[in-house]
Amino acid sequence: MVSAQSTAISAQHGEDIAFARAMHGKEVKSGLLSNLSSKNRDVSNVASETYLNMWKKPENETKEDETKRLDSYTDLVNSYYNLATDFYEYGWGGSFHFCRYYPGEEFFRAIARHEHYLAANIGIKRGMKVVDLGCGVGGPAREIAEFTGAHVTGVNNNAYQVQRAKYYAAKQGLSGQTEFVKGNFLEIPFPDNTLDAAYAIEATVHAPTFESVYGEIFRVLKPGAKFGCYEWCMTDDYNEEDSEHRRIAHGIERGNGIPKMRPIAECLQALKNVGFEIELHEDLANMGDQIQWYYPLEGDLRKCQTVRDYLTTIAMTKAGRFTTTNFCRVLEKVGLAPKGTVETQKFLEMAADALVEGAQKNLFTPMFFFVAKKPETAQ
């Protein structure tokens, strides 16, 4: 018998898929201009208004506003990624995450190494069945599948990103080794005790609580299996009562579709509360690196390691931001991009500024790294 909850979940997924097709179209396109010009303007405007109406200036925010975002986190996150995905791919490529850099290391090589480091510490091997929670357009899943030989299923609640992930996997010849499904990571579509490993890369921060998503991951893992994660957290230096600290956290939240940023201590306690044994944890953003993880966001071309890196970093320079914003403004004015495109570009710029400021003041990390194990004796 199908439960009422399962029926409701299926109906919601159906509505999300229909909305994504109405907004983005049925065909996968490449390039920022091609993607922006093909949007349905009316539907895009709905997504833009839905997202922006969830936020106020930090000084005007109330606890009730925060609670509303937590209660409607799926709408918040879906609206955000319906607006931001094309810009992410344009500026960052197919892996939507940060990483550490060694001197002379090219940007995409460092991104891949960050993914390999995660897979190696979890112990992902050929033949394993692995889940990627909040998989984006599938960049890390494809890389880890190739690197390890495992089968990786990406779970993502955004239908547009799932469509693109499937397209890229087929193009790369990885359709048999990867799968991408529309799903809420608070209702992971796997039975209990069935997966050999799980990971999340800068994704589970979108959940309303750490315990809710970590508990689901615990449920689907086999006893003895491991969960590895790069988590977005506020550091121990963060003070929720400090108005400047809260302003920075609010900028990170609004600019990245996050209902509520939480401290490292809350992350670790949530893992313990749901039953995990924490094998290791460290803040990889605070390792004394010569080259900081946020250097591309600063738009400082002097810090680029290779010629190819200039292509990524130049978009974040003052000239690059000016060019992109005005390019979007012209497209919007002549009807080649939907209304709200410029606003999307602006809140993404605000996100970059808040991330850099948070990092420079040691208030924020995008790579609090941990590996946790489900006990062998767990039922």
Side-chain angles (χ1 to χ4, degrees):
M1 177 179 285
V2 179
S3 69
Q5 182 183 16
S6 296
T7 302
I9 292 169
S10 296
Q12 182 62 57
H13 288 332
E15 290 175 10
D16 292 343
I17 292 168
F19 186 92
R21 286 178 177 171
M23 178 173 173
H24 306 287
K26 294 181 180 180
E27 302 298 322
V28 175
K29 292 162 282 293
S30 299
L32 183 63
L33 176 58
S34 178
N35 279 300
L36 291 179
S37 62
S38 65
K39 306 293 184 202
N40 180 294
R41 287 151 185 74
D42 292 335
V43 181
S44 295
N45 193 39
V46 170
S48 179
E49 289 184 353
T50 297
Y51 186 74
L52 294 174
N53 287 340
M54 291 184 177
W55 301 95
K56 298 177 183 176
K57 292 182 178 180
E59 62 270 21
N60 297 330
E61 285 270 319
T62 65
K63 196 68 178 175
E64 183 180 345
D65 295 321
E66 183 180 291
T67 300
K68 285 181 180 178
R69 287 196 294 272
L70 288 166
D71 290 342
S72 58
Y73 79 97
T74 54
D75 291 336
L76 174 80
V77 178
N78 256 328
S79 297
Y80 175 80
Y81 281 112
N82 276 328
L83 296 169
T85 294
D86 298 324
F87 288 94
Y88 272 35
E89 288 196 64
Y90 162 71
W92 215 256
S95 291
F96 300 165
H97 63 80
F98 299 107
C99 65
R100 299 172 67 194
Y101 303 95
Y102 285 104
E105 188 175 31
E106 187 264 333
F107 175 83
F108 288 108
R109 182 177 177 182
I111 288 284
R113 179 177 51 77
H114 200 62
E115 294 160 5
H116 297 173
Y117 182 81
L118 175 66
N121 276 278
I122 300 171
I124 297 175
K125 295 180 176 63
R126 180 176 299 279
M128 281 187 168
K129 293 183 178 179
V130 181
V131 66
D132 176 337
L133 283 308
C135 64
V137 296
R142 295 191 300 275
E143 184 67 35
I144 288 174
E146 278 193 331
F147 178 65
T148 65
H151 183 280
V152 181
T153 298
V155 176
N156 189 331
N157 205 33
N158 184 266
Y160 182 52
Q161 291 191 344
V162 171
Q163 178 194 33
R164 299 182 74 78
K166 290 178 178 179
Y167 171 82
Y168 294 136
K171 190 175 180 180
Q172 204 168 321
L174 287 169
S175 294
Q177 207 179 327
T178 60
E179 183 180 4
F180 297 95
V181 297
K182 169 79 167 66
N184 184 339
F185 54 36
L186 297 193
E187 296 148 347
I188 302 173
F190 284 98
D192 297 358
N193 307 312
T194 53
L195 296 175
D196 298 303
Y199 68 85
I201 302 178
E202 304 184 22
T204 45
V205 66
H206 290 295
T209 66
F210 284 142
E211 280 192 26
S212 57
V213 63
Y214 295 167
E216 263 295 276
I217 295 167
F218 186 90
R219 178 185 67 79
V220 299
L221 286 177
K222 294 177 181 177
K226 295 180 182 181
F227 165 45
C229 182
Y230 294 122
E231 190 64 88
W232 278 33
C233 293
M234 305 310 288
T235 70
D236 294 340
D237 289 349
Y238 176 73
N239 179 3
E240 180 78 10
E241 304 305 316
D242 186 307
S243 60
E244 273 299 287
H245 289 194
R246 185 66 201 122
R247 175 187 63 78
I248 292 169
H250 184 270
I252 293 171
E253 292 162 356
R254 184 177 185 270
N256 293 279
I258 298 167
K260 175 67 177 175
M261 285 299 301
R262 294 173 284 262
I264 287 173
E266 190 169 329
C267 164
L268 293 173
Q269 189 59 52
L271 288 168
K272 295 174 185 176
N273 289 350
V274 302
F276 277 114
E277 297 172 351
I278 303 173
E279 293 200 330
L280 66 92
H281 64 84
E282 58 185 344
D283 181 4
L284 297 184
N286 192 19
M287 302 292 283
D289 292 338
Q290 179 181 335
I291 304 162
Q292 295 296 329
W293 64 265
Y294 52 82
Y295 96 82
L297 298 180
E298 292 180 291
D300 189 345
L301 297 176
R302 296 170 299 178
K303 297 179 181 178
C304 291
Q305 300 299 292
T306 69
V307 173
R308 189 177 180 184
D309 295 344
Y310 284 93
L311 298 176
T312 300
T313 307
I314 198 168
M316 296 307 299
T317 63
K318 288 183 179 180
R321 288 186 178 197
F322 178 84
T323 300
T324 302
T325 299
N326 283 283
F327 175 65
C328 292
R329 184 172 283 114
V330 169
L331 292 179
E332 205 175 293
K333 189 172 183 179
V334 301
L336 289 178
K339 183 181 178 182
T341 300
V342 173
E343 282 302 311
T344 300
Q345 169 65 11
K346 284 182 178 178
F347 73 64
L348 290 175
E349 288 182 359
M350 179 193 71
D353 293 339
L355 292 170
V356 171
E357 187 177 6
Q360 290 175 337
K361 294 183 177 180
N362 195 37
L363 300 176
F364 164 76
T365 174
M367 53 186 81
F368 180 68
F369 175 60
F370 64 79
V371 175
K373 179 180 177 181
K374 182 171 181 176
E376 298 278 0
T377 56
Q379 298 298 315

